[in-house]
Amino acid sequence: MPRVGAAFAEAFGRRADGVWYAPGRVNLIGEHTDYNDGLVLPFALPLGVSVAAARRDDGVIEVRSRQAATAVTAPVDGGPVVAEGWPSDRAWAAYPVGVARVLREHGVGGASLLVDSDLPRGAGLASSAALECATALALCDLHGVEIDRPGLARLAQRAENEHVGMPSGPMDQSASLLCTAGRALMLDCRSGLSSQVPFDPASGGLTLLVVDTRAPHALADGDYAARRAECEEAAKLLGVAALRDITDLPGALATLRDPVLRRRVQHVVTENHRVEAVVGLLRAGAVAELGALLNASHLSLRDQFAVSWPEADAAVDAALRAGARGGRMVGGGFGGSVILLVAADRVGRVRDAVTAAYAGRGWAEPGFHDAVPSGGARRVTVPWQP
């Protein structure tokens, strides 16, 4: 069994019934459009969360992590949780416990879980959604519950909304469960319909580089919720169900008096257009032409939606000066990561430029990961047989 399986046996004194894995994601473009019923274009990373698990029939979920010292024990039916500092919307165990409690309505019961991850926490790469999705697959398999992938993504999103207090949209869970290798996922967040779009930067001599800015984000702290509330208020004032429904952007901006709401609307509407443009370029095999759209997205997120942060802006600026084709912040903002589209022969130069820019400001050295479009969540071991 993988190392998490061996660690499970050591932690719980018995063998795991299996190991399940779910990846983190990068959103190529389409930021803060998901909860506005809009369009997103994420892909799965080759980094993620593994969960070794064994079924329990006592209605209890016990969760441990190789990255955290505290074990959490909770009844699946919603009773009190035994853990120092619980309840807290910052407690990592809220994610798997919340999933178990939502899935209880579908026949899932208790389990012992051991979590392991190679995703950097706080980097805006959807580590929480990966944890939710790996847990959801494990619990469903252990208890013989069949739920299709789109439905399971919605249930994992509900767990995050209701049990963590994070009013997120469906993108992260859908990406973790639905993405396939060598593809980005075009997802309509209103209808739930999706399609696989070819995305292979390496075939064009390009690299999509993820820069962990080392500025951690905590979206449940309130800034993310504030942006969502602003979008909902703007939609209400404009008489539409969601900002995705705006077809006359100049007219909408002229209607709104509040300059903040005008900026939020401008970002969401133009970002949806950028998603459609990127999909068109990818289907035409024009990956090298994405740079300008990435740059436009970053400027909109920085100036119109006000969710960028100094380390992200510095990384994008330094990379462009060093020859990157384009770049933007990713994730909900207020910390996390940046993506850069770079010619393969310029990756070293761009990395050095970003690192030097951080050193010059006295910031911690950034981390770098090659963002290779990878496969989605899956079971990685079969049950152990004596």
Side-chain angles (χ1 to χ4, degrees):
M1 291 191 296
R3 63 176 187 170
V4 67
F8 179 97
E10 182 178 346
F12 290 101
R14 61 173 175 146
R15 291 183 180 270
D17 293 329
V19 176
W20 291 260
Y21 167 85
R25 64 92 189 97
V26 159
N27 188 22
L28 183 58
I29 202 157
E31 222 66 80
H32 288 274
T33 52
D34 58 344
Y35 56 79
N36 287 291
D37 284 356
L39 307 175
V40 294
L41 191 66
F43 63 90
L45 289 168
L47 303 170
V49 174
S50 297
V51 172
R55 174 171 169 154
R56 295 174 65 136
D57 294 317
D58 58 359
V60 169
I61 181 166
E62 182 178 1
V63 189
R64 302 177 183 226
S65 171
R66 299 192 73 198
Q67 284 74 46
T70 303
V72 171
T73 303
V76 177
D77 64 7
V81 180
V82 181
E84 183 181 354
W86 188 282
S88 167
D89 59 8
R90 298 180 185 177
W92 66 271
Y95 297 95
V97 171
V99 168
R101 289 179 169 173
V102 167
L103 290 178
R104 176 177 177 269
E105 301 169 10
H106 298 264
V108 162
S112 297
L113 308 176
L114 181 67
V115 176
D116 194 14
S117 175
D118 58 5
L119 274 169
R121 292 184 64 187
L125 303 178
S127 59
S128 58
L131 174 55
E132 292 160 0
C133 293
T135 298
L137 285 182
L139 293 176
C140 286
D141 280 358
L142 291 175
H143 291 276
V145 173
E146 294 187 7
I147 302 173
D148 64 35
R149 291 289 180 104
L152 197 59
R154 289 191 295 272
L155 290 168
Q157 177 201 357
R158 180 183 152 200
E160 184 162 322
N161 295 165
E162 296 180 0
H163 293 274
V164 181
M166 174 62 190
S168 58
M171 176 180 66
D172 292 352
Q173 295 84 2
S174 297
S176 190
L177 285 165
L178 302 177
C179 282
T180 59
R183 301 288 189 274
L185 182 77
M186 170 63 159
L187 176 66
D188 183 323
C189 294
R190 169 171 285 168
S191 68
L193 296 176
S194 64
S195 61
Q196 305 288 340
V197 182
F199 181 45
D200 181 14
S203 66
L206 297 164
T207 296
L208 195 70
L209 194 64
V210 174
V211 182
D212 180 356
T213 69
R214 309 296 194 196
H217 73 161
L219 295 184
D221 281 351
D223 289 324
Y224 183 98
R227 292 300 180 279
R228 181 164 186 164
E230 290 164 351
C231 291
E232 290 170 351
E233 176 65 15
K236 181 179 178 180
L237 291 171
L238 293 169
V240 295
L243 296 187
R244 185 252 180 86
D245 296 312
I246 294 172
T247 56
D248 177 11
L249 179 57
L253 297 180
T255 300
L256 293 170
R257 291 186 174 184
D258 187 334
V260 171
L261 296 186
R262 288 201 296 269
R263 290 195 292 271
R264 306 300 184 252
V265 168
Q266 183 166 351
H267 167 73
V268 173
V269 174
T270 58
E271 187 80 347
N272 277 317
H273 293 327
R274 283 188 285 271
V275 174
E276 293 175 321
V278 168
V279 169
L281 289 173
L282 292 182
R283 293 197 185 281
V287 178
E289 306 306 315
L290 299 183
L293 290 164
L294 298 181
N295 293 338
S297 177
H298 182 75
L299 292 176
S300 182
L301 288 160
R302 185 191 71 186
D303 300 336
Q304 305 301 328
F305 221 70
V307 292
S308 191
W309 62 102
E311 291 88 344
D313 298 337
V316 171
D317 182 65
L320 293 178
R321 291 176 181 276
R325 289 182 174 269
R328 73 175 193 91
M329 58 147 284
V330 293
F334 313 106
S337 294
V338 161
I339 56 170
L340 304 170
L341 185 66
V342 186
D345 60 0
R346 288 181 174 263
V347 170
R349 182 185 304 177
V350 167
R351 289 177 58 144
D352 289 346
V354 174
T355 301
Y358 275 44
R361 292 166 172 81
W363 294 338
E365 185 174 332
F368 297 92
H369 307 277
D370 287 348
V372 179
S374 301
R378 57 198 180 271
R379 188 172 187 158
V380 294
T381 66
V382 297
W384 175 78
Q385 298 294 331

